[in-house]
Each structure stands twice: as C-alpha cells, then as structure tokens.
Amino acid sequence: MLPKNKIEEDIAIQVNGISKAYRIGLEEVKHDTLGSALVSFFKKPLRNLKRLKGLSKFNGFESSDIYWANKDITFNVKKGEVLGIIGKNGAGKSTLLKILSKITDPTEGQILIKGKVASLLEVGTGFNPELTGRENVYLNGTILGMTKKEIDSKFNEIVEFSGIPKFIDTPVKRYSSGMKVRLAFAVAAFLEPDILIIDEVLAVGDAEFQKKCLGKMKEISGNNGRTVLFVSHDLAAVGALCDRVVLLNKGSISDVGLPPDMIKKYLSSNNYVNEADYSDYKGSGDWLLTGINLLANDKRDENVIWQTGNSVIINLKYITKVFGKSPYVILLIKDSFGNTPFFCFSKVAFNGEISLKDIGEINIEIPKLPLLPGSYSIDVTFKYGRDTSYAKESIIDFEVHKGDFFGTGRLDDGLVNSVLVEQKWSFND
Amino acid sequence: MDNITIIEPRKSSNKINFKEIYRYKDLLYFMVLRDVTVIYKQSVLGFAWALINPVFSMLVFSIVFGKLAGVPSDGIPYPIFSYAALIPWTYFANTLNASGSSLISSAGLFTKVYFPRLIIPLTPVLSKLIDFSISFVILILLMFYYQYMPTMKLFLIPLLILILLLATAGLGFWLSSLAIQYRDVKFGITFAVPLLMYAAPVVFPASLILEKYGTTAYHIYGLYPLTGVIEGFRAAVISTKEIPWDLIGISLIGAILLFIIGLNVFNKLESNFADVA
C-alpha cells in the first residue's frame, strides 16, 4: 500500500476500498385497531423524523435496513486508459460513478484522482427549454465545469459539431428531442478534461450521430492520452472502446480483465432462460415433449445467452408411440406483446421425410437470430396429419440480449415489433 | 505534477472551499442570467410584475393600516413610509421562497453533475436583485410626489443592501439545506414568511417597540436584520428622518451571524444532498 495521498506516476485514478451505504425503507407497521392506529397517527411525525434523519446518519453499519450499493471496491486506472464498467442493474455501477464524480461521498474508503475530471452522467444537464440554444450551450457548459472564456473560444466548433447552426438562437423548447441531444452532446464533446467519466450517454441520439460521438470519443482518448471511464449496457460499444473492463456484481468487483473475457463472463453469469414448464398440454398425448433447451451454436452448453445475430439452436426432446404418419412440428416464437416475429414449421422449412423413433431429439438451428433484445416465449405444437398430439403455449421464456447482427458494431434497440433481416446497402452517385 | 483530488467520507471539520466557488463564478453568472431571462418570458406585462406586488401592497397597507387602523408612521406619509419598507421586504420574501426550495427544484442538476452546490441557493439571492432594482422606480416617483429631496443619506443604501444580502443568503443556505432532507421546511417557509412580515417594521415604525417596551427590547429587536434595513431605508429616502445607526449596527451583526450559521449548516449537510434528495 502506498503512503496516503501519494499516487504512482502512470496512474490517473486510484480507488482504495470504496464502500457506499444507503438506508432503505423499513416496513410500515399495519394497525388492526382504531386505538393503535390513532396512537400511531400522533407518533408518526416522530417516526418520520427518525426515518428522515436516518437517511444521512449511520450508527454502526450492522442495521438491517442498510443497503451497500458499493462494497470494498479497489482498482486503478492508468493514464490514457479507457476503462469500461459493466454489470447487471443494481450492481453498483452508477453509484460508483457518482462517487467518482463527487456527486455523493463514499461511506468508507478513499479515491485519489490526478488531473481535471469531467463527468457526463446525463446529456444536457440543466438545459432550460425557455432559453435559446446559444444560452443553453453556455449554461450547460459552465455546469460541466467550463469557463465562459473556454466556451467563447469553442462556440463555433460546438455549433458546427451539433449540426444545427440554423436553430442556435431558437428556444430549445421548439427543438426536436434529437436536436436537443445533438446540441447537448456537442457541448460535452468539447470538454477538455484529463479524465472523462461517462454513463450510458451513447444510448441516445440516432445511429449516425452516435457514430460521430464514438469517433469523437476515440479521438479524445487516443490523441491526447485522455483517461476515460465508461459505463454501458451496450456490450458492443464496451468491446470496441475499452482497454480493460471491470465487472461488478452486487456492489463488489467480480473481476477485472480484457473486454472479451469480461463480456463473456458477464453474459455467462446471467441465467436468462427460465425453467420450462411441461405440464398442462393440450392434445391426444400421442407425442410428448420431455425437454426443451436453448443452445448456442453446436456447443451443447445449456441455457446460454442468446444474442441478436448469434447462431442458435432450439433442441426438443420427445417421446412418441405413433409411427409412420406424416408429422408436423410447429414452433411459434412470441414476443412480450403476443406477436409472432417468426415461426419454425417443419412442413415448409424441412425438405425430407420425418421418421421418428419412440424417443428422440429435434434440433432447429437458426443461423442468425433475427430477434431484437427483449423477452420472448415459445409455443410448441405437434401434429399427426390433422390431429393435434401435443400443443403447449409459452413452454419456455427466454431473453434475447443485445448483439451485433449486421457486423457493424452498432444496434439500434429502439425498434419494437420487428425482426432483423440481412441486407446489403450500396450507394450510387 | 498534476493536482490531486482526494475523495473521502466527509468529516464535519471540512472547510468551505471558497476557491472552488470562485472557480465556478461563470456558472453562477449564467444561472443568474437564466433566472432573469426566464422569469417573465411569455408574460404580457413582463418586468412590470416586479412593481405590481409592492405597489399593490402599498396601496392596501395605506388604506388598512394608514387610514382605517391609524397605525403611526413617525409623521411620514403612509404610502412612502410603507413603500420604503416594502422594497427590501419584497426582495427578502421572494428570495427566501425561491432560495429555500432551490435545492429541491434543482435536484435533477446536482444529482447528475458536481459543482459547488452553494451556487444553487445563491442564484436567487442575486437574480431577485433585478426586481428589487426595478421597484426603486416607484420610490423615486413617491419621493418627488411628497417632495422629499434626495440627500447624502442615499449613500446609506449600499450598506443596507449588504445587510439584506447577508441575511437573505444566510437564511437561504440554512433553509435550503434543511428543506432537501425535511420537506416540512419548504411548507414552513410559505407559512412563516407572511408572519415574518408582521414581525418586521413594515406596517409600523420600529419606534413603536422603543415606546412600548424600552431600549433593551428595541436593540434586541434590531438583531432581526430586516429591522435595521427597513428603518435605514426610510431614513435614506426621507430627509427629515434621522439615521438609526444603533439599529443598523445591530442588524449588521445579526445578518453576519445568520450568514455564518447558514453557510456552515449548508457546508455540513452538503455531502448528503445527493443521497437524501
């Protein structure tokens, strides 16, 4: 351990054992008599006072209503490094960034930061709808820590980068949401800190502008050796931008390493496929489903994560007592709105004789999963001719994760009710 | 070697970082500018609203207290007597309302980005000075109407404004930092401000306290900073009234105390704002 307040030459941020406690609400006591309710009514102000006071005071850390958003977090960020932080919702990513940005104090631990920090936890903080674009650039810029002089000198570049010079003297309330984001990000892009802390801000704006911002970020970190701390759910962006990734789990560091390893570990630590439910089928029962598994590629790992664009396999296990007729297998893939983005039907998709044994497996491979991120379920129907042997709705629920379908490194998850199809673009002048 | 920032659990002995506040002076400037630009946007009367409140209060007070109740006014015509008091009072009341709830309404700001939070309650203290200045127009008209010629005593006004600013800012810091954790304070302000007006010598002269309760009570009364400010304002514009130096001095002490207490309470509670907001 280094002496206090000393930091090695090539380190930009040194996080030593950071913990953060929050007080969570205690259960309200229910009253079953008028008397106790009345007493409680008059005691309530006192209880409220205790509760509100408790928000900021911790006497000993053993109390049951204390929640540790961060627990004993230690890591270093090297100068010029782009460090990603990933983890599930509630893993403590945002809390950690808030502590690093000085928005909230840690409960324990110490952080040493060398250089000027700018944090971007939200795009367009402090934008006022009544003010013009120009006025908001100055207001937002100074909130982010720039001086008027700095903004004066960069003003033209900021406006140009935003791509909306025509509207710069129009009140922001007349802007479209896209224009607002462009202007706000343009201000942020011209901050010149030694260390930049970013939370999910790339998730806004259209794809073209996102690309522009990613480029700008690369420029920021690449050319000037700027240190960047980057929280995102967009694993593709994390993989593309970061040098190293911290994986958080339940408020603590679960691992630190190279982006591909950490992303893999993150994905495999989450079991997104729910237990299948085989009971209560409809039909004669001549054919019975005994197992359904969602697999990735040819690997027989069960219950892996399905990502958009991945090659996946639906594996069905069955028992049957009828042979020789011509059977159909129908799988309907349903989204959470009850739509059917696609289906698998043996009659049209499989060219050949189906000959079943009494016990067997059916594998349906989908080379490129066209589903957007979200929750889905599968209906399975098995028919011999016209007779339904087996029909079961929502036998299994599963989650599709963000992935890179087009191989462009980008995925707009703003669309719903649709599937992705392969496409080739060309532009002729 | 670069500057090293240390982030640690806050100790109660932490000093107020004035250097940092100074570094963010441009932010304060633009926040004040925002308030001033936005306040009367999309209103027909615009800045005339800055006059409507004190002028109508003056008219009502002149009728109710001056005519009907016959409240003494040190021999000064009641309209100018009450208007001279209403200028600092209106500023104090409006600023306290805005400043006290400023942290609550800016929670979206300081939970997303760090800057010295003191700027938030400080903004209305400065931006409300615009309304304050505008309301002087009527005072000047009243002076002409009642033929009180301006004297050297007008130079007292900057000192009075200083007392007013210190007291208002101090209370604003104090109340805003409590209101973010205990919303009762916000409701309390709307409830207490009208009462505080009757506690200040707005509708009656401070000399009434001297007459009824004696010198000691009169001087203790001066600790309420608005007392010295209001009586000082009257003396500054009314050539025949003597400057109550004792009251002004005591009020200055009261204002400085309020400012120091407010600043320290704010500084002590600041680290919790993002957690309790």
Side-chain angles (χ1 to χ4, degrees):
Chain A
M1 178 111 180
L2 287 160
K4 215 182 165 193
N5 303 352
K6 279 276 167 60
I7 185 163
E8 271 177 64
E9 194 49 45
D10 62 333
I11 301 288
I13 305 174
Q14 187 174 315
V15 180
N16 296 329
I18 284 295
S19 298
K20 175 77 185 176
Y22 281 107
R23 177 134 356 221
I24 48 176
L26 279 179
E27 204 182 330
E28 290 270 318
V29 187
K30 291 260 186 298
H31 299 281
D32 42 11
T33 69
L34 186 63
S36 77
L38 262 177
V39 170
S40 147
F41 176 80
F42 288 108
K43 277 187 175 168
K44 189 143 191 178
L46 207 72
R47 259 208 328 274
N48 282 343
L49 180 69
K50 252 180 151 170
R51 180 173 57 85
L52 290 174
K53 249 187 165 166
L55 288 174
S56 56
K57 292 246 181 341
F58 301 100
N59 302 322
F61 294 122
E62 303 309 321
S63 175
S64 61
D65 58 337
I66 285 174
Y67 170 73
W68 290 95
N70 282 161
K71 189 83 187 130
D72 201 20
I73 290 186
T74 301
F75 64 91
N76 284 338
V77 188
K78 290 200 187 78
K79 266 188 186 166
E81 186 176 39
V82 181
L83 184 85
I85 299 173
I86 58 175
K88 278 189 257 191
N89 289 333
K93 306 184 296 280
S94 297
T95 305
L96 182 59
L97 287 202
K98 278 190 174 176
I99 295 171
L100 281 161
S101 319
K102 285 169 74 177
I103 289 166
T104 183
D105 283 4
T107 313
E108 290 167 353
Q110 188 197 45
I111 299 174
L112 300 176
I113 298 178
K114 198 157 53 183
K116 200 175 146 203
V117 183
S119 64
L120 221 54
L121 303 197
E122 186 186 68
V123 175
T125 312
F127 259 44
N128 189 302
E130 299 286 346
L131 297 179
T132 65
R134 181 187 301 274
E135 290 163 331
N136 270 311
V137 166
Y138 279 96
L139 184 60
N140 185 236
T142 45
I143 285 174
L144 293 172
M146 286 197 258
T147 61
K148 182 174 179 296
K149 235 168 128 186
E150 281 171 353
I151 303 171
D152 282 337
S153 68
K154 290 175 197 160
F155 188 79
N156 291 335
E157 280 180 276
I158 291 174
V159 174
E160 199 186 317
F161 187 81
S162 72
I164 50 163
K166 259 201 241 163
F167 301 95
I168 197 68
D169 289 310
T170 308
V172 161
K173 63 179 171 184
R174 311 259 178 259
Y175 281 27
S176 72
S177 54
M179 284 159 71
K180 252 180 265 177
V181 169
R182 277 157 177 272
L183 188 63
F185 204 95
V187 179
F190 285 89
L191 288 171
E192 279 177 1
D194 304 306
I195 298 165
L196 185 62
I197 298 175
I198 305 180
D199 187 7
E200 282 297 355
V201 284
L202 291 171
V204 290
D206 55 63
E208 181 213 358
F209 194 71
Q210 274 185 28
K211 196 186 160 196
K212 207 166 152 185
C213 296
L214 275 173
K216 185 81 194 168
M217 266 185 63
K218 269 193 179 149
E219 192 189 308
I220 288 172
S221 56
N223 291 357
N224 314 321
R226 202 151 297 165
T227 312
V228 179
L229 236 81
F230 179 44
V231 158
S232 187
H233 284 107
D234 187 346
L235 298 176
V238 170
L241 284 170
C242 298
D243 300 320
R244 219 154 47 102
V245 171
V246 169
L247 178 58
L248 285 185
N249 187 26
K250 290 178 186 159
S252 307
I253 291 186
S254 138
D255 206 351
V256 186
L258 293 171
D261 303 336
M262 290 304 106
I263 290 170
K264 211 182 205 171
K265 190 161 177 184
Y266 168 62
L267 289 176
S268 60
S269 69
N270 298 321
N271 188 356
Y272 279 107
V273 183
N274 293 343
E275 273 296 294
D277 172 17
Y278 302 100
S279 59
D280 287 335
Y281 62 90
K282 288 187 180 113
S284 65
D286 291 341
W287 183 93
L288 283 178
L289 187 69
T290 57
I292 179 164
N293 287 306
L294 307 178
L295 312 174
N297 304 329
D298 310 324
K299 287 175 229 151
R300 301 288 155 157
D301 315 334
E302 287 192 6
N303 299 340
V304 280
I305 284 305
W306 278 17
Q307 268 178 285
T308 304
N310 276 8
S311 169
V312 297
I313 293 169
I314 304 170
N315 167 268
L316 308 171
K317 295 188 173 76
Y318 66 84
I319 307 177
T320 185
K321 31 187 181 177
V322 188
F323 313 101
K325 292 187 194 170
S326 58
Y328 306 136
V329 187
I330 308 157
L331 269 65
L332 301 181
I333 314 299
K334 293 248 173 98
D335 65 17
S336 46
F337 306 100
N339 303 311
T340 307
F342 74 88
F343 58 86
C344 308
F345 187 17
S346 62
K347 190 180 171 186
V348 291
F350 177 69
N351 195 8
E353 279 295 305
I354 302 176
S355 62
L356 298 179
K357 297 200 174 86
D358 50 352
I359 293 175
E361 287 185 21
I362 303 169
N363 285 314
I364 304 158
E365 185 185 343
I366 298 153
K368 227 172 172 185
L369 188 67
L371 296 174
L372 288 161
S375 307
Y376 297 89
S377 65
I378 302 178
D379 296 357
V380 177
T381 306
F382 192 93
K383 287 183 167 193
Y384 279 115
R386 280 183 177 170
D387 307 323
T388 302
S389 304
Y390 181 91
K392 168 86 183 152
E393 284 182 15
S394 307
I395 187 158
I396 193 165
D397 297 324
F398 64 98
E399 199 87 22
V400 173
H401 220 78
K402 231 176 183 181
D404 187 7
F405 184 89
F406 297 110
T408 54
R410 274 175 279 136
L411 180 64
D412 188 353
D413 58 351
L415 295 165
V416 288
N417 292 346
S418 57
V419 290
L420 301 168
V421 291
E422 289 232 62
Q423 46 201 276
K424 288 201 172 76
W425 287 66
S426 60
F427 297 88
N428 298 324
D429 291 320
Chain B
M1 182 121 181
D2 297 302
N3 273 349
I4 291 186
T5 314
I6 303 168
I7 299 173
E8 282 180 310
R10 180 174 291 231
K11 299 178 192 86
S12 52
S13 61
N14 273 20
K15 294 257 159 53
I16 303 163
N17 194 343
F18 290 108
K19 233 168 91 187
E20 190 185 51
I21 296 168
Y22 180 74
R23 208 151 45 72
Y24 275 88
K25 62 185 185 309
D26 288 349
L27 172 59
L28 180 61
Y29 170 77
F30 283 110
M31 296 266 273
V32 172
L33 194 67
R34 174 200 66 183
D35 272 15
V36 174
T37 326
V38 164
I39 183 164
Y40 296 120
K41 274 227 170 132
Q42 218 163 348
S43 84
V44 178
L45 296 177
F47 280 101
W49 280 109
L51 298 176
I52 288 168
N53 183 346
V55 167
F56 275 82
S57 300
M58 173 198 71
L59 292 175
V60 171
F61 290 174
S62 296
I63 293 165
V64 175
F65 298 106
K67 294 263 184 225
L68 298 178
V71 174
S73 56
D74 288 346
I76 303 160
Y78 203 87
I80 193 164
F81 169 84
S82 61
Y83 195 79
L86 278 163
I87 290 182
W89 173 259
T90 308
Y91 167 82
F92 179 74
N94 286 345
T95 309
L96 214 55
N97 272 322
S99 192
S101 56
S102 62
L103 279 177
I104 297 172
S105 48
S106 306
L109 209 57
F110 68 78
T111 54
K112 290 295 177 196
V113 62
Y114 176 79
F115 55 87
R117 278 73 178 257
L118 201 68
I119 286 176
I120 296 172
L122 196 56
T123 301
V125 172
L126 298 180
S127 66
K128 298 283 180 200
L129 282 175
I130 299 291
D131 286 10
F132 177 75
S133 317
I134 292 170
S135 56
F136 271 91
V137 175
I138 301 291
L139 186 66
I140 292 163
L141 292 179
L142 283 172
M143 283 172 74
F144 274 109
Y145 182 80
Y146 289 106
Q147 298 192 340
Y148 288 112
M149 283 309 117
T151 64
M152 293 297 280
K153 286 197 289 182
L154 282 178
F155 287 104
L156 195 58
I157 287 179
L159 172 68
L160 300 174
I161 292 178
L162 176 74
I163 300 174
L164 185 60
L165 286 185
L166 284 174
T168 316
L171 259 180
F173 298 157
W174 194 347
L175 295 175
S176 63
S177 59
L178 288 176
I180 190 73
Q181 187 161 4
Y182 307 99
R183 295 296 143 91
D184 309 61
V185 175
K186 187 179 147 188
F187 305 123
I189 293 172
T190 35
F191 156 80
V193 162
L195 296 181
L196 279 175
M197 190 195 77
Y198 290 101
V202 175
V203 300
F204 61 87
S207 59
L208 212 58
I209 304 286
L210 183 64
E211 264 171 47
K212 297 235 162 164
Y213 303 105
T215 321
T216 319
Y218 178 68
H219 284 157
I220 292 173
Y221 184 46
L223 277 174
Y224 181 20
L226 267 291
T227 310
V229 173
I230 288 172
E231 287 298 321
F233 255 82
R234 284 177 179 146
V237 295
I238 291 154
S239 41
T240 53
K241 191 171 156 57
E242 264 182 60
I243 298 176
W245 285 113
D246 50 347
L247 267 192
I248 294 174
I250 296 169
S251 288
L252 178 62
I253 294 169
I256 291 172
L257 278 177
L258 262 181
F259 187 76
I260 292 172
I261 295 172
L263 202 58
N264 280 295
V265 170
F266 191 95
N267 184 56
K268 197 170 163 244
L269 298 177
E270 185 180 353
S271 62
N272 294 323
F273 290 166
D275 297 343
V276 299

